[in-house]
Amino acid sequence: MMTARKEGATVSAALLVDGEPSSALTTTAEERSADLIVLGAVHDRSLADRLLGTVATEVTKRAGCDVLVVRPVDEQGDLEVPEDAPRV
């Protein structure tokens, strides 16, 4: 959030919300009349992610405002995520 504020963005909330992530994000953004949702994302390459989609994909489909997906800079390329990796 510090980077966003330094760049002139107004951060309206930092919340912990129960629920399915993409629904929680889009509902909260709608309730707060957000102009932008900023998401951090990595390239998940698990079979489940390819079949079901990622949070970033679902948020971009559902959001009633702009969505900015920020991917980390990784000099070694895309991250491989094993099928049995714990979910956060």
Side-chain angles (χ1 to χ4, degrees), residues 8-88:
T10 301
V11 179
S12 64
L15 305 169
L16 179 60
V17 180
D18 284 330
E20 189 271 323
S22 60
S23 293
L25 284 164
T26 54
T27 299
T28 301
E30 184 177 322
E31 290 170 352
R32 295 180 168 269
S33 301
D35 296 322
L36 176 68
I37 297 172
V38 180
L39 293 172
V42 295
H43 292 282
D44 287 340
R45 294 187 168 225
S46 70
L47 179 59
D49 288 328
R50 281 186 241 143
L51 292 174
L52 302 174
T54 63
V55 172
T57 300
E58 288 304 308
V59 170
T60 58
K61 289 179 186 176
R62 297 180 183 180
C65 63
D66 290 336
V67 178
L68 174 63
V69 179
V70 180
R71 299 199 183 276
V73 176
D74 180 11
E75 295 178 16
Q76 301 199 347
D78 295 341
L79 299 173
E80 293 289 329
V81 179
E83 291 294 323
D84 60 347
R87 295 287 177 200
V88 177

